[in-house]
Amino acid sequence: MLRRWAEKFRLVSHFDKKFSLNEDVYLVKGSKRGAIYDLAGGDVYSVDETFSNALDSALLGRTPKEITMEVDHNLYEIIGFLRKLADQGLGEWYEGPTHSSKSYKDLPPPSWHLRFAWLELTDSCNLRCVHCYSDSGASQLPEKGTMLTEDFRHLILEVAGLGCSAIQFTGGEALLRQDQLLDLILIAEEKGIEVEVFTNLTLLTKGIVNFFKQHNVRVGTSLYASNQQLHDSITRVKGSFVRTIESIRELVSADIPLRVGIVAMPQNENSLNQTIRFAKEELGVHQVRASKVLRVGRGCSIASDDFIPLGEKLAFPKISKEDFIARLHGHNCWRGKIAIAPTGEVLPCPAARDIVLGNVQHQNLPDIIVSDRLRHIWELSKDKIESCQDCEYRYACFDCRPRAENLTSKPTDCWYNLCEC
């Protein structure tokens, strides 16, 4: 009895108090619901429509007693909700003059510069994967119109001068141009640029493994199944599974940083979890990620709009204040990045092959970087994308533009229906 009276007294004591969110904690409202972003801890909390409106009113300086006149909840429920936020360290009660209202929209934009570049050394590949976004395959080297080693050397010097701190060398298959690749890695290392090589690993040798180890090169690769028949049916080259697995074991043994991507498509979507376990438990790879096939290149013939959930819904990665500000003012993936094709075409990323921002064989890269067209791409925040602009999670979820029908449409693999939630 005494405990109930004590609890009721505590609730009554909050009738005329005010509530504010702590520093670096913000309410982001969607078309109906809301989300609380704790940029100090990195967590995102979902808030239903009524409590979102109640919190919005509280942040304007209204007391719980005043809020109950606006929302469909009784006084004790409103106080209980706000107390829960305070108990979780997200806000605090206060008395006196209303605290000045803060808005995440007032956070200053970051400075924009080139941070990362994909350099595609070749369009050729020794595999013929059914889903290849660049439509790569066998061709006679060197390909017509492809930049020479000297061109790529100059590019590395240019991206270094623009502040770029990381490069991924890719293709096609980057190891088809092995001599060029090793030469360019040395130049990047000299300029203090971190290097990753994305390769199917079928052409890897012990000499290359030793070179990668000596020069701190990271490696990325693809694995499509945990058995030879299925993997080889996707690469369309017999024996590719065996060679890739052997190379993965060599890299893991040499303690070279390695990440494995598993592309989900109709051929392998039912064995994704098995492949993930195989890569982690049998091969010893720590960084394994599965993603849906892109509707680009040969992927157009097998991609679907059906979303393949690989984790818990609403399970967002931690979001820092730096990332939040960058997503508020720009695109969460494209900002600060470019891809350069073997022909010199500059793209937002390797999968956005229909958006050409310039060509380094005819233009200076610094001029392309400061162009209005590239700035438009880098500043394409979720607030400028249809449907996404009305979603409370727009600064928390990852957005892959090549998965959308056009530059400003909702991604086809987004399951969240704003009207039903």
Side-chain angles (χ1 to χ4, degrees), residues 1 22 57 248 268 305 383:
M1 176 69 73
N22 288 341
S57 292
I248 288 176
N268 67 354
D305 292 338
D383 289 319

Side-chain angles (χ1 to χ4, degrees), residues 222-268:
S222 295
L223 181 66
Y224 305 113
S226 57
N227 68 82
Q228 179 175 350
Q229 182 177 3
L230 180 52
H231 180 94
D232 287 0
S233 71
I234 291 173
T235 65
R236 296 192 290 186
V237 173
K238 188 175 181 180
S240 60
F241 174 80
V242 172
R243 190 67 198 97
T244 295
I245 295 302
E246 289 175 349
S247 296
I248 288 176
R249 295 189 189 279
E250 287 186 57
L251 292 169
V252 171
S253 178
D255 199 27
I256 291 174
L258 172 67
R259 63 183 181 90
V260 168
I262 304 169
V263 180
M265 60 192 89
Q267 291 88 330
N268 67 354

Side-chain angles (χ1 to χ4, degrees), residues 11 34 45 64 141 341 349:
L11 291 174
Y45 301 88
L141 293 175
C349 74

Side-chain angles (χ1 to χ4, degrees), residues 348-377:
C349 74
R353 307 198 78 80
D354 59 336
I355 305 175
V356 179
L357 304 168
N359 191 307
V360 295
Q361 296 208 68
H362 314 303
Q363 302 165 266
N364 292 322
L365 182 58
D367 291 339
I368 297 173
I369 293 298
V370 298
S371 67
D372 291 340
R373 182 148 171 73
L374 180 57
R375 183 51 56 104
H376 172 72
I377 291 294

